[in-house]
Amino acid sequence: MGEIGLEFLAAFMDINDIFKETVTNTSLNSGKRKATGAPSLRELKESGYGIVSSSEIPAKKARSGDDTPEQIAEQPSDDEEGGRFFDDGLTAEEKGVMEWVDHMEDMDESLDHLAVQRLVMRLERAVSKNTTDRINHPNNPEKFVESEAELDEALQRLLLLANDVQYLKVLVELEAVPTLVSLVAHENADIALDVIQLAVELTAEDAWNHEGESAEERTAVLEFVSELAQNEFFEVLGQNLRRLNEEADTSEGEADRQGVFQTLTLIENLVSLDETLVEKAITGMKLLEWLQSRITQTFAQTSTEIDPNQQYAAEIVSILLQTSDRLRSLTSSRLMDTLLQCLAKYRKHTPEDDVAMEYLENIIDSICMLVATADGKRLFLELEGVELLVLLQKQMHVARLLSLKILDYVLSPPPLSSSTDSSEAPSLATHSAETRAAAKRYIDQSGLKYLFSILMHHGKGGVQKLHKAHPQTDERAVNCISWLLRLTDQGTPLHWRVLAKFVPSPADLSSWKLHVDRIAELNLEYFERVRDAEVRFDRDEHEEETTVEERYLSRLDAGLFTLQMTDIIIAFISEEPSAREHVELRLNRKDRSLDDVLAELTEYIETKRADSLAAAVASSSAEPRDLSSVLQHL
């Protein structure tokens, strides 16, 4: 029996009574979505699928104390041949369901224009009858409960369209879309959730992204969602989202929590489908305002826990900010402030479970997307985001390491606009005022102490486990140090405070060597990674026209950028004779020299300036300059 058949069977029969265990619902397209509806007993009986009423089933005689031993002995045993171990174990009712499932699978395979018309007609009749019943009996739910069940069933049957979305155009032609939109505002929230579930299934990527047919099916789904938008679906959806009560500890509350989850799933589906539709949905639903409120509000048992929908809301914020440049530009200071408040909760405690950990990572990713722009950096500084990062790095929690990702984004220059000449790539003379201000504030807040502590992996056993669980921390720390050296003018007190960590001074006669050793160690480690990647690439066969770019990309994947960041640090500290001598000694042990560092930095500079990757690689063979002159172009 097919997957759909099992779903209808599971939805109809009481599986828990049969197998005495909990069964999780599946769905047409995704394991996280509800199962479709099943026919009523009346329908199965009328269709002739072996269903009989309880009055038609002869009653079994129960054993009683009046039975004689002879009577008991004559009764058949379950263990005899032909007993329960040799039967199919199904009642007449359940056998009828099995027959109906087989019929539905045949009908599913033959879904056509006429079948969709029947589904729409059934929906319209159910809507009309339910509307009439509610008008005639507004204070007597028993009078319209049957028509409401029929409406629910009609909506569930439309889920068949998820298997062949090209027939969505029939819904548009028959003007069924306005009906669906109106049902989102239905008095019974369960009916509204049925429509949302239908939209989720129809927009899921596995409903329209099939090999060889994805273009046509994607177009059909796009046209359907566009029709929904024209009928103000997203405006009504936003209103419905705000009427759902997640706080109630009842079956209705659980249904509402599922409704919120499905609504967010629909937004995630639209991200894969079309960016323009996402922006329409967010605007129509006023979704950003709701998300800002939801990520700060938990319905878990304690205030420090994170509930699943709160985590999902944080994930949607992160996805939206990564998807649309326009959305990032539209975000207000309130969103930045809200995200910083969410992050601040982890100053004194670590995430309690995987849900909370994912929530924290999504909050950090969202902040990174905002501070990647000049306006976002300005807001981050105004809201004392740098001070929060220093406070987080003081603690021996996971947020101490993850905060380096935000610092890395804050110190990195904003991306160039499409109109900017590539020859004007950020250099020591063109870094934005926001990045320079962020570097100054971080140094003034004594952030260097904690940054170098992270670089050196200072801490006891628990901290060492954190570093092993987050190996990218070393790369982040190196990036931040290289940016701090570039964002502070040479010869100034700020620059010297960074450089002093690598050179001998009266106040520090030993630890500077450990810092130099650590940078040299990372330089050698990433050099070996890049070299091994080059060897593997050269050993494989590649098409001639793509070899140059692909080879460079393979080196980037192996860690070329981190190697270049350690090269930048080495170039700066080599200005001081004692540090230069010490780092050369460490590099020479692995047959590396400062000339190798210079060649790699020359390639880095040319790559930033080149119009294309191929041109960058070709120009990197230019004659290397000395390290002092290279510093002026970083």
Side-chain angles (χ1 to χ4, degrees):
M1 182 179 297
E3 178 185 354
I4 299 175
L6 291 176
E7 291 170 10
F8 279 106
L9 179 60
F12 178 82
M13 292 192 298
D14 192 348
I15 300 298
N16 294 337
D17 288 342
I18 297 174
F19 297 103
K20 303 300 182 186
E21 62 183 9
T22 301
V23 179
T24 302
N25 284 338
T26 59
S27 74
L28 294 171
N29 285 315
S30 171
K32 64 184 180 182
R33 304 181 181 103
K34 298 190 297 183
T36 58
S40 64
L41 292 178
R42 176 177 57 80
E43 288 180 316
L44 289 173
K45 184 177 178 181
E46 291 174 353
S47 301
Y49 289 108
I51 300 300
V52 295
S53 65
S54 58
S55 61
E56 297 172 299
I57 300 176
K60 293 183 179 180
K61 179 180 178 181
R63 292 186 180 185
S64 68
D66 296 332
D67 291 334
T68 66
E70 291 78 8
Q71 290 174 320
I72 296 175
E74 291 175 1
Q75 294 177 1
S77 169
D78 285 339
D79 291 333
E80 293 178 359
E81 184 173 354
R84 65 187 179 91
F85 290 110
F86 292 86
D87 195 10
D88 55 17
L90 299 177
T91 66
E93 179 180 305
E94 292 162 354
K95 289 178 180 178
V97 175
M98 298 284 284
E99 293 176 17
W100 179 85
V101 166
D102 292 338
H103 170 72
M104 285 301 296
E105 288 185 337
D106 294 339
M107 188 187 80
D108 175 46
E109 293 175 358
S110 60
L111 188 66
D112 55 18
H113 192 284
L114 186 60
V116 178
Q117 283 183 328
R118 288 197 296 265
L119 291 175
V120 173
M121 291 174 61
R122 179 176 184 145
L123 174 65
E124 296 290 354
R125 284 197 303 268
V127 171
S128 177
K129 188 174 187 305
N130 181 246
T131 302
T132 301
D133 289 349
R134 277 187 168 270
I135 292 175
N136 294 336
H137 311 284
N139 300 319
N140 193 354
E142 293 181 357
K143 296 293 185 178
F144 55 76
V145 66
E146 183 178 351
S147 64
E148 214 128 285
E150 292 175 356
L151 175 57
D152 174 81
E153 187 176 339
L155 287 169
Q156 295 288 345
R157 286 178 176 270
L158 288 177
L159 289 170
L160 291 172
L161 290 169
N163 295 326
D164 204 344
V165 293
Q166 64 176 325
Y167 288 110
L168 288 176
K169 61 185 178 182
V170 181
L171 294 184
V172 177
E173 293 170 359
L174 297 177
E175 299 182 355
V177 172
T179 301
L180 292 174
V181 173
S182 68
L183 290 176
V184 179
H186 195 277
E187 290 87 344
N188 185 345
D190 289 339
I191 298 298
L193 298 184
D194 283 341
V195 180
I196 298 171
Q197 171 72 9
L198 176 63
V200 168
E201 295 288 352
L202 296 177
T203 57
E205 188 170 359
D206 49 2
W208 52 265
N209 190 12
H210 300 296
E211 186 176 355
E213 303 176 356
S214 59
E216 180 182 349
E217 296 188 340
R218 180 176 181 273
T219 300
V221 176
L222 275 173
E223 292 175 352
F224 174 71
V225 177
S226 297
E227 187 70 18
L228 286 174
Q230 290 178 14
N231 284 273
E232 300 184 346
F233 171 73
F234 295 116
E235 287 78 3
V236 180
L237 186 61
Q239 296 170 12
N240 181 73
L241 182 63
R242 287 162 175 81
R243 73 165 171 165
L244 298 177
N245 181 15
E246 298 182 77
E247 192 172 3
D249 191 18
T250 61
S251 58
E252 291 80 5
E254 178 59 33
D256 285 357
R257 286 189 286 275
Q258 179 68 13
V260 171
F261 177 84
Q262 293 291 350
T263 302
L264 296 179
T265 302
L266 175 59
I267 299 301
E268 187 175 4
N269 289 349
L270 294 181
V271 170
S272 302
L273 188 63
D274 186 78
E275 181 180 318
T276 305
L277 285 176
V278 175
E279 295 179 358
K280 287 182 180 179
I282 293 171
T283 303
M285 295 174 64
K286 299 180 180 177
L287 185 61
L288 284 179
E289 292 86 343
W290 183 88
L291 289 171
Q292 287 175 191
S293 173
R294 187 62 181 87
I295 62 177
T296 62
Q297 187 178 18
T298 181
F299 295 115
Q301 294 181 350
T302 64
S303 59
T304 59
E305 291 184 57
I306 303 297
D307 68 78
N309 280 349
Q310 184 182 11
Q311 190 285 120
Y312 200 7
E315 182 178 347
I316 293 298
V317 172
S318 175
I319 291 173
L320 293 177
L321 293 178
Q322 293 178 57
T323 302
S324 172
D325 293 336
R326 182 171 176 271
L327 286 178
R328 285 200 296 271
S329 65
L330 291 176
T331 53
S332 63
S333 60
R334 185 189 166 201
L335 177 58
M336 177 71 81
D337 188 36
T338 300
L339 292 171
L340 291 177
Q341 290 179 32
C342 294
L343 179 61
K345 294 190 299 185
Y346 294 96
R347 282 177 50 200
K348 298 182 179 179
H349 73 275
T350 191
E352 299 181 1
D353 51 29
D354 292 340
V355 173
M357 186 64 197
E358 190 172 354
Y359 170 83
L360 174 58
E361 291 175 344
N362 284 318
I363 293 296
I364 289 176
D365 287 343
S366 297
I367 296 174
C368 289
M369 290 300 99
L370 291 179
V371 300
T373 66
D375 290 339
K377 295 179 193 296
R378 193 177 301 111
L379 277 176
F380 188 78
L381 291 171
E382 291 174 1
L383 297 172
E384 299 183 345
V386 173
E387 287 81 354
L388 175 59
L389 295 184
V390 175
L391 291 175
L392 290 170
Q393 291 168 12
K394 284 183 179 180
Q395 310 301 322
M396 293 298 178
H397 301 310
V398 66
R400 164 187 171 95
L401 305 185
L402 297 181
S403 65
L404 284 184
K405 182 175 183 179
I406 301 177
L407 181 62
D408 189 10
Y409 272 79
V410 171
L411 297 177
S412 301
L416 294 175
S417 65
S418 57
S419 60
T420 305
D421 194 316
S422 60
S423 64
E424 298 176 3
S427 68
L428 197 62
T430 61
H431 289 303
S432 70
E434 291 79 17
T435 54
R436 286 177 174 272
K440 180 181 185 303
R441 187 173 299 184
Y442 184 76
I443 296 171
D444 288 341
Q445 293 295 320
S446 302
L448 292 175
K449 173 183 177 181
Y450 308 109
L451 176 58
F452 277 83
S453 175
I454 295 172
L455 175 71
M456 302 303 294
H457 293 196
H458 288 164
K460 298 182 180 180
V463 175
Q464 299 306 318
K465 290 181 180 178
L466 285 178
H467 279 279
K468 289 181 180 179
H470 299 85
Q472 72 278 11
T473 300
D474 290 336
E475 299 178 6
R476 297 291 184 191
V478 167
N479 291 352
C480 293
I481 294 171
S482 71
W483 281 120
L484 290 172
L485 286 168
R486 284 178 280 177
L487 291 169
T488 52
D489 295 332
Q490 289 180 276
T492 63
L494 281 176
H495 184 80
W496 175 251
R497 289 175 67 178
V498 185
L499 196 59
K501 297 291 184 179
F502 298 102
V503 298
S505 65
D508 183 5
L509 298 176
S510 58
S511 63
W512 70 273
K513 288 186 178 180
L514 298 177
H515 296 157
V516 173
D517 289 345
R518 180 65 175 145
I519 294 300
E521 175 189 352
L522 290 171
N523 184 273
L524 294 170
E525 176 186 337
Y526 280 89
F527 169 73
E528 291 178 357
R529 292 188 187 184
V530 173
R531 182 184 58 189
D532 291 344
E534 291 173 343
V535 172
R536 287 193 301 271
F537 186 90
D538 293 339
R539 187 173 56 236
D540 298 335
E541 294 184 1
H542 302 277
E543 296 181 8
E544 227 177 285
E545 58 271 17
T546 61
T547 299
V548 174
E549 293 189 12
E550 287 186 355
R551 189 173 190 272
Y552 185 81
L553 292 174
S554 69
R555 295 169 66 212
L556 279 178
D557 291 339
L560 175 62
F561 183 76
T562 302
L563 171 64
Q564 293 168 335
M565 294 301 102
T566 59
D567 287 338
I568 289 174
I569 297 173
I570 290 173
F572 274 104
I573 65 179
S574 294
E575 294 291 284
E576 206 283 328
S578 298
R580 182 187 184 99
E581 180 181 350
H582 190 73
V583 74
E584 275 191 297
L585 179 64
R586 290 301 307 272
L587 294 178
N588 289 340
R589 292 178 183 176
K590 295 290 184 178
D591 296 326
R592 266 177 67 78
S593 67
L594 292 180
D595 288 340
D596 298 320
V597 171
L598 178 58
E600 290 157 1
L601 287 180
T602 302
E603 179 186 21
Y604 171 72
I605 293 170
E606 297 299 340
T607 301
K608 289 203 305 178
R609 289 180 170 178
D611 291 330
S612 69
L613 190 54
V617 177
S619 63
S620 64
S621 60
E623 187 69 24
R625 295 156 288 186
D626 61 273
L627 285 176
S628 296
S629 62
V630 165
L631 293 178
Q632 305 305 316
H633 300 275
L634 295 175

